[in-house]
Amino acid sequence: MTPASPKQAATVLLLRDGTPGLEVYLLRRTRGMPFAGGMTAYPGGGVDPRDGDVETAWAGPPPAEWAHAFGCDERTARELVCAAVRETFEEAGVLLAGAAAGDVVPDVSGEDWEAQRQALLARELSLAELLADRGLALRSDLLRPFAHWITPPAEPRRYDTKFFAAALPVGQEARHVTGEADEVSWLTPSAALAEMTAGTRPMLPPTIHTLGQLEPFPDVAAALAGSPPEPLHPICPSFDDEPDGRWAVLPDGTRIRMVVPLPS
């Protein structure tokens, strides 16, 4: 069979400094989702065609720099950065935008903001239109490239996903606002991985691997300064079925045991 063509997607490791150290915002996708139901993941999703609108006000590294980082064309780079910002607002209620370079909107939790977030979800409003209405610019400088994963060819649903890292803006709070998740958590990478190992927090290999990459960083500043944690290259795992379970095998030989959600 001809493999499905991967869909461009963006996901964001939203970070904050918590009492136990560096924490990352995680969603547990509802079991009914057609892709990765019951799995813990980061906010993110597929690119919307309007994410490439050139009218989007922009502050920070231009699309050409992102294209170089991710090895893609400028149009795709623009779409990916916009998708990262849009999905973070849609799924966590956090907006990486400001009125000027160096400025971040401090609060996006009011009823008027919620109405626009819902309009984004319904595709009645584009990110470019929301920013123009508010007199804001997308802050690409708040994002860092982090990783690049591609779903294996054998899978019926495939994504070419770029992972970004970003700090939670001062004054904003991540909120459980997405209908695609039944639980949200701020956890240290170590705590999240411990729950995965115990079998209580199933994750896909990209989430497991990127949490491991985050684990050595003591705080948000270090994580952003160290992003990406290794030279960016697309990772497309293969799978081995063994007597002790299913394993994802990365190109460098790293093996990640798959933990799937228990039947409800």
Side-chain angles (χ1 to χ4, degrees), residues 3-257:
S5 179
K7 181 179 180 180
Q8 292 292 329
T11 192
V12 178
L13 286 66
L14 190 62
L15 309 173
R16 75 175 185 185
D17 290 323
T19 302
L22 176 68
E23 295 179 325
V24 59
Y25 189 70
L26 297 166
L27 313 169
R28 188 178 68 190
R29 295 169 64 84
T30 58
R31 288 181 178 267
M33 296 293 292
F35 181 79
M39 296 283 191
T40 289
Y42 310 111
V47 163
D48 182 279
R50 294 180 298 174
D51 289 331
D53 288 349
V54 295
E55 294 82 9
T56 304
W58 192 287
E65 290 191 27
W66 289 100
H68 177 75
F70 285 122
C72 62
D73 59 76
E74 287 191 33
R75 167 78 187 194
T76 301
R78 180 183 292 274
E79 290 174 340
L80 289 165
V81 175
C82 288
V85 172
R86 175 180 53 75
E87 288 283 346
T88 304
F89 184 49
E90 289 179 1
E91 296 196 346
V94 170
L95 185 61
L96 303 174
D103 173 63
V104 184
V105 59
D107 182 29
V108 292
S109 62
E111 291 183 4
D112 53 340
W113 282 107
E114 179 59 18
Q116 289 187 310
R117 192 188 68 81
Q118 292 288 345
L120 273 181
L121 282 169
R123 299 297 179 259
E124 298 166 353
L125 185 71
S126 70
L127 179 65
E129 290 168 338
L130 182 152
L131 296 175
D133 179 70
R134 295 280 183 170
L136 298 174
L138 175 152
R139 288 285 308 277
S140 74
D141 57 319
L142 298 180
L143 293 161
R144 300 289 187 276
F146 196 86
H148 179 186
W149 283 71
I150 302 175
T151 312
E155 296 297 317
R157 291 177 179 271
R158 301 188 66 211
Y159 296 92
D160 185 334
T161 306
K162 279 63 171 188
F163 287 68
F164 298 79
L168 177 70
V170 175
Q172 294 192 38
E173 293 292 338
R175 298 176 288 126
H176 187 185
V177 291
T178 177
E180 297 183 357
D182 57 18
E183 177 192 281
V184 300
S185 308
W186 282 103
L187 291 172
T188 65
S190 296
L193 289 171
E195 292 183 15
M196 182 277 299
T197 301
T200 58
R201 186 174 290 278
M203 302 174 187
L204 291 173
T207 311
I208 298 169
H209 193 261
T210 50
L211 283 171
Q213 290 176 297
L214 273 181
E215 205 169 11
F217 296 116
D219 52 33
V220 173
L224 295 182
S227 296
E230 61 183 38
L232 274 182
H233 53 273
I235 299 174
C236 185
S238 59
F239 294 105
D240 277 350
D241 291 308
E242 304 288 350
D244 60 348
R246 196 175 203 212
W247 296 77
V249 183
L250 308 192
D252 65 359
T254 299
R255 293 168 60 84
I256 300 173
R257 186 173 182 177

